[in-house]
Amino acid sequence: MRRLSFFVHSLEGVFFRRMSNLSPKPRVLISHNAIPQVAIDILKDKFDTVVVKGTPNPTREELLQLIQGCSAALWYGHIKVDREMINAAGDSLKIVAHSGAGYDHIDVNYLKEKGIICTNAANVLGPAVAEIAIALTLEVSRRTLEGYKAITSGTWLMNHATWMTGHGLSNKTVGIIGLGQNGFAIAKRIVGFEIGRLLYNDLTELEEKARSVNAEFVSKEVIFKESDFLYLCVPLNNETRFLVNKETLSTMKNTSILINTSRGEVVNQDDLIEALQKNIIYGAGLDVMYPEPLPQDHILTKLPTCALTPHIGSRTFENRKAMYILAAQNIYNALTGQPVLTPVV
């Protein structure tokens, strides 16, 4: 009996020692409770998912607490992933997977310094963003919002030869700064309007892409000067902040229309307002601005040739689902030793 008892206790000791040596599942912070279940399902069996509960808009303080000890963060929104947030996670953090495209709110240099992977949703936003860009183009150029207001205010003019005339796209020169995924998606759609020329500017010539849409590579100086419609499709960084300013606006045609679906601070907003008020350019369509949300009485809301949408470029049901699935798959790959799909660093 003593030998049996000793044997049982020995087995129990081995069992508990082994159990204590087993690592718990890696924790994954999911920073927003509106992320669809299909994305969570990619992670839930292999990882311990920590979903922010109770509010669609978690505070920075909540996230600073919840990220502690996490191996990954599936990030949504524009709360900064800065040194404080990264350090709060601790040494366990292996990847920050952003479910959007822009990452100017993420300290990618510090992540790189610490050997932490950063990914974004670079490959899925193009079609949705292009649709909003085209919608803003037509709203400004064909004055659809002004026309709607004329109907609802009872100011519809009949038998007036020039009332509510606008600018068509046919045979016009279209410029795109940034022929990445979003810019290229716009290019593919805009050529269907039988435009005259398609110009683009990027860090380098993108010959294969350009050839497929018959686009010609030009300098920024030329693209500002010659474009009738100019699309901004660049990330926000030190080189692109206030790319559009008093000087560049002054070189544009007074009939030209500027469309921004990238980041608000790519455009110096005060300079743009002045250009619109003084008819230096004809109009602007903005899906992004600053601050966001824009105050409801902001001067931009009062300019008749400025169309605004509240940063909804990527907001289709299909696109949002794809963004979250991509972010979840990046996390799964990173934590299981596989290559991530859309690395930033």
Side-chain angles (χ1 to χ4, degrees):
M1 288 297 293
R2 286 183 180 177
R3 287 182 179 180
L4 179 60
S5 176
F6 175 80
F7 179 68
V8 170
H9 283 299
S10 296
L11 284 178
E12 287 177 344
V14 170
F15 174 78
F16 285 114
R17 281 196 298 274
R18 287 183 175 177
M19 288 299 292
S20 65
N21 289 332
L22 289 176
S23 299
K25 288 182 178 180
R27 297 179 68 227
V28 177
L29 171 63
I30 298 176
S31 75
H32 200 280
N33 66 6
I35 288 174
Q37 188 63 40
V38 66
I40 297 173
D41 287 345
I42 293 171
L43 303 168
K44 68 178 184 179
D45 290 338
K46 205 167 188 69
F47 312 111
D48 179 16
T49 54
V50 181
V51 185
V52 174
K53 302 285 187 183
T55 172
N57 296 303
T59 66
R60 177 176 175 81
E61 288 67 32
E62 286 179 282
L63 294 175
L64 280 168
Q65 291 294 318
L66 289 169
I67 202 172
Q68 294 177 23
C70 286
S71 297
L74 197 164
W75 209 257
Y76 169 81
H78 292 274
I79 292 177
K80 288 186 176 182
V81 183
D82 52 14
R83 286 175 177 257
E84 183 185 22
M85 187 68 70
I86 296 163
N87 290 337
D91 294 337
S92 59
L93 188 64
K94 300 295 186 293
I95 178 173
V96 174
H98 181 38
S99 59
Y103 48 87
D104 46 283
H105 60 300
I106 299 174
D107 192 338
V108 294
N109 290 327
Y110 190 55
L111 288 173
K112 185 175 183 179
E113 178 184 322
K114 293 181 72 68
I116 299 168
I117 298 168
C118 180
T119 64
N120 67 348
N123 294 341
V124 296
L125 274 66
V129 173
E131 289 167 1
I132 281 294
I134 300 298
L136 286 167
T137 301
L138 297 176
E139 189 172 336
V140 178
S141 66
R142 298 305 308 274
R143 305 174 67 179
T144 57
L145 182 58
E146 288 182 83
Y148 174 76
K149 289 179 178 178
I151 294 171
T152 59
S153 65
T155 57
W156 184 342
L157 293 182
M158 295 292 291
N159 302 315
H160 191 295
T162 60
W163 183 74
M164 210 57 71
T165 53
H167 295 278
L169 275 158
S170 298
N171 299 314
K172 296 296 175 63
T173 297
V174 173
I176 300 175
I177 301 181
L179 202 65
Q181 194 211 18
N182 293 351
F184 188 57
I186 292 170
K188 288 191 293 184
R189 287 156 178 77
I190 206 71
V191 295
F193 287 88
E194 299 179 344
I195 61 174
R197 297 171 68 202
L198 180 59
L199 312 178
Y200 81 97
N201 178 269
D202 211 305
L203 296 176
T204 60
E205 288 193 52
L206 304 168
E207 294 180 3
E208 186 175 344
K209 271 186 176 182
R211 189 163 47 248
S212 69
V213 289
N214 197 28
E216 56 182 292
F217 180 80
V218 298
S219 67
K220 287 190 181 74
E221 291 74 19
V222 169
I223 210 167
F224 277 108
K225 183 179 179 181
E226 298 189 10
S227 296
D228 297 301
F229 295 83
L230 181 58
Y231 295 88
L232 305 175
C233 304
V234 294
L236 178 63
N237 53 43
N238 292 335
E239 285 70 41
T240 61
R241 182 172 275 104
F242 296 160
L243 171 67
V244 176
N245 52 54
K246 186 187 293 285
E247 181 181 352
T248 52
L249 287 163
S250 70
T251 67
M252 296 176 69
K253 301 176 183 180
N254 62 8
T255 55
S256 62
I257 292 172
L258 178 75
I259 305 294
N260 187 15
T261 55
S262 54
R263 284 290 186 265
E265 288 182 300
V266 171
V267 176
N268 185 311
Q269 214 157 258
D270 292 336
D271 292 349
L272 175 62
I273 291 166
E274 182 181 2
L276 292 171
Q277 291 173 326
K278 294 183 177 179
N279 299 315
I280 294 169
I281 66 171
Y282 175 80
L286 310 175
D287 185 49
V288 288
M289 55 221 74
Y290 60 92
E292 292 184 0
L294 196 72
Q296 63 186 56
D297 60 347
H298 193 279
I299 185 63
L300 283 173
T301 69
K302 306 179 191 307
L303 300 175
T305 58
C306 183
L308 305 173
T309 49
H311 205 151
I312 58 173
S314 66
R315 290 179 181 270
T316 65
F317 292 112
E318 301 83 0
N319 191 63
R320 285 280 153 152
K321 183 178 177 181
M323 289 163 60
Y324 299 131
I325 289 173
L326 177 56
Q329 191 63 54
N330 276 325
I331 288 174
Y332 185 93
N333 287 11
L335 297 185
T336 57
Q338 303 175 61
V340 295
L341 303 175
T342 51
V344 175
V345 294

